[in-house]
Amino acid sequence: MSLALAPLDVSVEVEANLPCRKFDPDLWFSDSPTELELAKSLCGDCPLRVECLAGAVERAEPWGVWGGEIFERGAVVPRKRPRGRPRKEDLARDAQLRVEAEARLAASGLSESRSAVRLAA
């Protein structure tokens, strides 16, 4: 299923307000969970957040922050975990974050393209 997007007339004014244009682009592709959470939070007020997320889903982006969601190995993950065995409280928090990520995808109108978007367990 392909997501049809209307062509955007992105002016210089809008582009100047995009967080991915204002900050270091490497932040959106960091290995650090903390930096990825910062990138997600910066995407929150972006005027192109929904289009960015839809494009990432359509392209099956392998990794990075797109539209305020973290992609890892082509799947949307609620948060990037640090290396090593997760703590029990982290597993419970991950379950809650997974539900929130699914709700954000549904609110963006991308839940019907669930075959295109995998949520990592």
Side-chain angles (χ1 to χ4, degrees):
M1 174 181 195
S2 177
L3 299 173
L5 297 176
L8 295 174
D9 181 17
V10 181
S11 67
V12 175
E13 296 171 25
V14 172
E15 191 170 311
N17 292 325
L18 300 179
C20 56
R21 306 282 187 198
K22 288 199 256 182
F23 297 94
D24 181 10
D26 290 339
L27 182 65
W28 277 260
F29 299 97
S30 175
D31 287 329
S32 164
T34 305
E35 289 182 357
L36 290 176
E37 289 301 321
L38 174 60
K40 277 176 59 174
S41 69
L42 292 172
C43 290
D45 295 329
C46 180
L48 298 179
R49 186 183 62 78
V50 173
E51 291 86 356
C52 179
L53 179 58
V57 168
E58 188 172 318
R59 293 186 306 273
E61 285 293 340
W63 64 294
V65 174
W66 298 90
E69 298 294 339
I70 298 174
F71 283 75
E72 188 171 293
R73 296 185 189 116
V76 175
V77 295
R79 72 179 184 94
K80 182 173 175 112
R81 286 190 269 185
R83 295 172 68 162
R85 187 177 204 173
R87 297 179 179 172
K88 289 180 183 178
E89 61 267 14
D90 288 343
L91 292 175
R93 184 177 59 184
D94 285 349
Q96 176 62 32
L97 289 172
R98 195 173 308 110
V99 169
E100 291 173 13
E102 288 175 0
R104 285 193 304 270
L105 286 171
S108 298
L110 297 174
S111 62
E112 60 273 359
S113 62
R114 179 111 168 124
S115 61
V117 178
R118 265 189 11 233
L119 288 175

